[in-house]
Amino acid sequence: MDTNKISVYCMPGLAASSLIFERISLPESLFEIHLLDWELPISDESLEAYAQRMSKKITAPNPVLIGVSFGGILVQEMAAFLNPMKVIIISSVKSNFEFPRRMKIAKTTKAYKLIPTSIFSNIEKLSAFSFGTTIAQRLKLYERYLSVRDVHYLDWAIERILLWDRTKVDPNVIHIHGDADEVFPIQYIKKCIVVKGGTHVMILSKYKWLNENLPAIIQGTF
């Protein structure tokens, strides 16, 4: 670790591998990027306990934490066990008040327990049932980037997202969000940097915008 550079730790989204950051490139003279990957949860581990365990992977004294989607939720929890220089979330939420209505209903009715997460363990087989280019391309993305297909992890992660109990927003969290995000619609999001045309996977589709602007956002000159 180069102590003269800013250490940036990147946490991917639900079930995704750190490959989702493969298009992110920051000036090597200023930043040192560290990619994090999901660990399997220990039994019915709380999100707080999981965040504490993951925070032990951070070796820099004042890191920048970047989290995408569920990874954004996680880095906010990890911040309690670290002394981060910055916490940046992308395509995520700052509290459960920013969840869309369907997620709140799923929490109340416990409908999330009915999601057949086992299908993700054989996602390649789904390509045989794809109809049209869009679905086929989406499945290709899933095959490449969704590497964590353990059913226990998926059940755990979905429940931890929906049961996230944060109601008070940390004002120091920097939120980058696309105005076309289909998972966390922009109308529910407060006080964020809006990326025009950004979808929930804009870490891949809007990487040029991120590469251009992240250095200034991290350094506080944006």
Side-chain angles (χ1 to χ4, degrees):
M1 181 177 65
D2 189 337
T3 55
N4 294 318
K5 297 181 182 181
I6 297 173
S7 293
V8 180
Y9 289 81
C10 300
M11 190 73 213
L14 172 67
S17 76
S18 56
L19 273 176
I20 68 165
F21 297 105
E22 66 181 357
R23 300 176 186 176
I24 300 301
S25 178
L26 303 178
E28 294 183 1
S29 60
L30 298 174
F31 304 98
E32 192 171 70
I33 295 181
H34 306 269
L35 302 179
L36 300 172
D37 278 298
W38 292 99
E39 299 280 340
L40 294 181
I42 300 171
S43 188
D44 196 29
E45 192 171 19
S46 69
L47 185 59
E48 181 183 15
Y50 188 89
Q52 184 174 20
R53 185 155 62 91
M54 289 295 291
S55 69
K56 293 177 181 177
K57 295 180 176 293
I58 311 297
T59 56
N62 300 109
V64 172
L65 304 178
I66 296 180
V68 174
S69 192
F70 182 34
I73 290 175
L74 180 63
V75 296
Q76 290 177 78
E77 295 298 313
M78 289 170 62
F81 305 101
L82 300 164
N83 186 29
M85 171 184 168
K86 289 269 176 33
V87 176
I88 300 171
I89 64 172
I90 300 171
S91 308
S92 190
V93 289
K94 299 182 293 297
S95 79
N96 59 24
F97 286 124
E98 293 185 326
F99 285 162
R101 183 176 300 175
R102 65 178 179 274
M103 291 181 68
K104 294 177 180 178
I105 292 173
K107 174 184 176 180
T108 302
T109 62
K110 298 189 184 301
Y112 62 90
K113 291 183 178 292
L114 302 177
I115 298 173
T117 48
S118 59
I119 66 172
F120 291 105
S121 62
N122 292 298
I123 201 163
E124 290 86 354
K125 294 181 181 179
L126 289 176
S127 61
F129 300 96
S130 64
F131 301 95
T133 305
T134 301
I135 296 174
Q137 288 178 341
R138 188 175 297 175
L139 285 167
K140 287 295 183 185
L141 287 176
Y142 289 166
E143 288 175 17
R144 178 164 178 78
Y145 298 110
L146 296 189
S147 64
V148 189
R149 301 175 192 175
D150 180 85
V151 172
H152 171 59
Y153 162 81
L154 292 169
D155 288 339
W156 172 87
I158 291 169
E159 186 169 62
R160 292 300 171 275
I161 293 170
L162 293 176
L163 299 184
W164 192 39
D165 59 1
R166 177 166 298 205
T167 56
K168 186 177 180 180
V169 172
D170 181 346
N172 295 317
V173 170
I174 299 169
H175 191 170
I176 304 172
H177 210 84
D179 64 1
D181 193 303
E182 63 279 17
V183 176
F184 298 121
I186 191 69
Q187 63 261 37
Y188 299 101
I189 305 299
K190 310 293 184 184
K191 295 182 180 179
C192 68
I193 299 170
V194 178
V195 179
K196 188 175 181 180
T199 66
H200 195 64
V201 293
M202 70 176 183
I203 193 69
L204 298 171
S205 61
K206 294 294 183 180
Y207 69 94
K208 290 181 180 179
W209 186 97
L210 292 166
N211 288 341
E212 181 180 344
N213 293 284
L214 273 176
I217 291 172
I218 291 171
Q219 294 177 301
T221 59
F222 180 78

